[in-house]
Amino acid sequence: MRARRSVLGVVHNITSATRLLDLLSVFDGDTRVQVLFTRTGSSALDEGTDAFLAARGMLQLPWDEAISQPFDLAIATNRGGNLHDIPFPLVGAPHGAGYNKRLSRQKMNEHSESGAFGLTDEWLMHDGQVIPSVIILSHAEQLSRLAEGCPQALPLAQVAGDPCLDQLNAGLPFRESYRQALGLLPGQRLVVVSSTWGPGSILDSPHAEVLRRALAELPAEEFRVLAAVHPNSWFGHGAWQINMWLAPLLERGLLLPSPESETWKAALCAADFLIGDTGSLTLYGMELGIPCVLGAFQESVVASGSPMERLGKIIPRLHPTLPLLDQLTRAARVQQSDPELAALRGSVTSEPGRSAALLRRLLYSRLHIPEPAHPATTRAIPLPSQPSAHPHRSPHLRAMQVTTQVSATGTTPAVSLRRFPSGLRDIPSTHLSADPDDPDRQWPAAADVLVLSRERCPLPGELKYSDFSGRFPRCGVVALEKADRGCVILFPDDTRMGVRWLDRPDWADFTIAASAIYAWAQHSPEGHRPLAPGVRISIRAGEDLAPALCELTAGP
């Protein structure tokens, strides 16, 4: 195929590459335009960039070769590297939600006193000349900051909106599809914890405690927690290291999507709450109206006069001792009608829904060919592959601390329970549910309820309580899973009883039934045995989850 125009995509690292792909989508379907890629070699955090490009079939040229070719246009979404050596027209665009950070070229790990990264002469000029031919801005407010930071570049600025925010807004109607793809069950709420890179991020010590708190304080049946970690953190430390650091949380249900995917976009569309910092995801979440608290916020990295600076003055900081759920629900209640927050929304783009059309018009005018006849459209956020809770799934059932409330009023006993991953915090008035073969022996040794999956007890009729009591003297009941997700309950007197679900929501499994039966048995008066075939028990695992009804049967 003979393309009429050639475009060079200039890649600094994976972060810039993902935004570059957002811009390049305006060329979808046009066989007149060929795009090749090159790397500036200017990022200390570009581990994995080669693999990212190769996995997507993005043809790459060495830098020296690329700048010696007669390309018609170059596009860069970062200011790093020797962009001044590019001899053909260069379009410069942001790689986040506008221009919100301070960063000095002389000392990359320190922050200048004023001016936003990408809007000052330090980043836009070389030997007295402006480097880009066009400077893309997402909002008209950035014109005044550009005029202050680099007045020579002002005539080259073009306000073209934010393709990422347009994509997120276009994805909101598909919220339920994204929630299902992420593995959320009906009634569950998703908390996205977004961590940028560098000092002062949520993952930076001691702020990694935010992720631990989210898993420790939010009931497991009602909430899922997803960590959206900046690619620079992933590739600055390596994926193996990030997974190792977060392994205890991954084993307790944390979702951790790979950074080079668009899963974080789907997660924002699906989110009920956001815990953020100074990263772009916090601004995008604010624009989408997601209730937010700041788990970290380092003012020294934020550019003066930027939307991020305003956000930091409005969004509450996460309190270290107040219950996390109370803080999230208060944010949801207050922020919906907060006039300051309402005024801040709209600060990422001044051309909502128009970025595809504006960017295509701009880029085709620079290529000097007419635009395609079809309208420019925003590309849909793809459905994510469900992020693995852990790269190595544990074969044993997770140990859980369980709080319960039992009601004996009416004809049907009721048990309300909430479960939390064990080992993250001490919770009073709970019982412990654990797998007898958990390699961390502290959990089965202290368990009140032992749970064994169907794969490991295909013949539950052959097991008795006494088979476990010698090894686990604290155990109150043993639950053996059955094929219908019900179970057989073994009691200390070696009696046994079956449990079957009469109406089973998606959240209801045999481990929850076992904890409910144990709580009901503990509640019953001395000398009275309320557990008999035919007894029905209503189980609720959270205020927003539909209750389930189970029935006791004669045990096999």
Side-chain angles (χ1 to χ4, degrees), residues 522-534:
Q522 293 294 108
H523 177 79
S524 61
E526 186 69 26
H528 175 62
R529 187 174 183 80
L531 299 174

Side-chain angles (χ1 to χ4, degrees), residues 29 50 94 152 263 278 296 304 318 324 351 394 422 487 499 501:
D50 270 336
Q152 302 93 322
T263 299
T278 58
S304 176
L318 183 65
L324 175 58
E351 299 290 346
S394 298
S422 62
C487 60
V499 179
W501 296 104

Side-chain angles (χ1 to χ4, degrees), residues 51-67:
F52 178 92
L53 300 177
R56 288 155 181 77
M58 299 160 69
L59 295 182
Q60 186 179 169
L61 295 176
W63 173 257
D64 289 341
E65 181 180 346
I67 62 176

Side-chain angles (χ1 to χ4, degrees), residues 83-108:
L83 301 183
H84 54 272
D85 288 338
I86 295 176
F88 30 85
L90 170 66
V91 174
H95 68 267
Y99 300 87
N100 294 285
K101 297 288 186 71
R102 299 176 182 175
L103 186 63
S104 170
R105 187 187 294 272
Q106 281 73 31
K107 296 183 179 180
M108 297 291 287

Side-chain angles (χ1 to χ4, degrees), residues 49 78 113 149 172 234:
T49 307
N78 197 283
E113 291 300 317
L172 291 178
W234 276 92

